[in-house]
Amino acid sequence: MTEDRLLAGLAALAADAPDGLFDRIAARWVSVPGPIGELRVAFTDHGVAYVHPREGFAEAFRERFGRPLLPAARPPAGLLPALRTGRASGVRLDLRELSDFQRDVLEAAREIPHGEVRPYSWIAARIGRPRAVRAVGTALADNPVPLLVPCHRVTRSDGAVGDYVFGAAAKERLLMAEGVDLERLRRLAGERVFYLASDTTGVVCFPTCHNARRITPAHRHGFRTLAQARAAGYRPCRTCRPAQVAPE
DNA sequence: CGCATGGCCCTTA
DNA sequence: TTAAGGGCCATGC
């Protein structure tokens, strides 16, 4: 269409423009392998701006950003290892289009370690808006850079996996590939256990916290709420910070 | 213990 | 300016 040619023309002009101009006008894209199939990734000089399955990528990008796209010769620094390992700390992100709230949500989600999960309410508390739980879900649904911001590691407080921008099934696959024992989490949730404590350390954790995984069964105690764990004399783990959910 | 309900808050139309 | 609705949550049967 003529609109596409106009955009392509603008992009070509922008590509030859002085430093800094290009990424205010356009973006580049590459096709890369991802954990759930081939992905296309758009980026600017500021970092990765968009991650989307190959199917429908260009249309979705245009709808969202309304900017021209040019193919890139090579992926941005750190992208391939980030997607291969699921640890994305080494890749820069371009989140300039987002609201402050959305950026806060994504930054909090980025703190969740590989192989672990946290509730939506944990994110809400972490960014200082403990009641904005639904809004957190909305912000994650709009995450422009899934996988790099691991929104698949945000799950529901009742133990269910919850929804995902690429579908709940993909979320489960990603988590299992990271070593999250969903079966065990479901079993615990069935017993209404959402926190695990150790009577040797006196610390209470989220079940997937790497500190919780090492608790010897004989010393492990499950709790339904953080308040109950506290009442039993446990203090919240400083690594997984379950206190974020129920401050006080 | 599964389901319904009211609550909350950010974004968009 | 307002209103509606969403990757949720806590509570109450």
Side-chain angles (χ1 to χ4, degrees), chain A residues 15-241:
Chain A
D16 293 331
D19 282 357
L21 181 55
F22 176 79
D23 64 51
R24 268 182 274 140
I25 296 177
R28 303 182 192 273
W29 68 272
V30 287
S31 200
V32 292
I36 50 174
E38 187 184 346
L39 297 168
R40 293 209 168 159
V41 175
F43 60 97
T44 69
D45 293 344
H46 287 252
V48 173
Y50 197 54
V51 172
H52 193 277
R54 181 166 60 98
E55 193 66 27
F57 164 77
E59 298 74 15
F61 179 88
R62 187 172 48 198
E63 163 120 4
R64 175 153 187 164
F65 293 89
R67 297 166 150 204
L69 268 175
L70 279 182
R74 66 189 74 244
L79 177 63
L80 295 180
L83 290 173
R84 194 174 57 244
T85 65
R87 293 169 171 88
S89 57
V91 56
R92 294 174 60 220
L93 302 178
D94 182 353
L95 303 178
R96 290 173 297 167
E97 301 267 330
L98 304 181
S99 69
D100 290 345
F101 177 82
Q102 200 165 9
R103 234 183 340 258
D104 288 347
V105 168
L106 298 189
E107 269 158 26
R110 260 193 131 177
E111 296 173 6
I112 307 174
H114 184 275
E116 302 187 21
V117 298
R118 302 282 181 276
Y120 290 88
S121 55
W122 178 86
I123 302 256
R126 187 122 186 78
I127 66 175
R129 321 199 83 86
R131 282 156 303 170
V133 183
R134 295 198 72 159
V136 165
T138 305
L140 292 178
D142 261 355
N143 177 10
V145 286
L147 302 169
L148 301 181
V149 166
C151 56
H152 59 282
R153 295 180 195 145
V154 185
T155 55
R156 294 175 38 144
S157 291
D158 64 3
V161 161
D163 222 328
Y164 184 51
V165 62
F166 296 156
K171 190 174 188 175
E172 292 206 7
R173 281 205 303 281
L174 286 167
L175 289 175
M176 290 196 296
E178 291 189 2
V180 178
D181 190 344
L182 292 177
E183 198 53 48
R184 168 168 169 269
L185 287 181
R186 267 191 279 271
R187 205 169 56 241
L188 289 171
E191 303 161 12
R192 299 285 115 114
V193 169
F194 302 109
Y195 301 91
L196 293 178
S198 159
D199 63 23
T200 59
T201 63
V203 166
V204 57
C205 295
F206 285 120
T208 58
C209 175
H210 68 275
N211 292 326
R213 290 188 213 153
R214 312 178 34 213
I215 307 174
T216 310
H219 292 286
R220 181 165 52 221
H221 302 275
F223 289 95
R224 172 162 188 206
T225 67
L226 186 62
Q228 287 166 0
R230 281 192 142 128
Y234 296 97
R235 72 145 172 93
C237 172
R238 282 192 261 271
T239 304
C240 65
R241 300 173 193 267

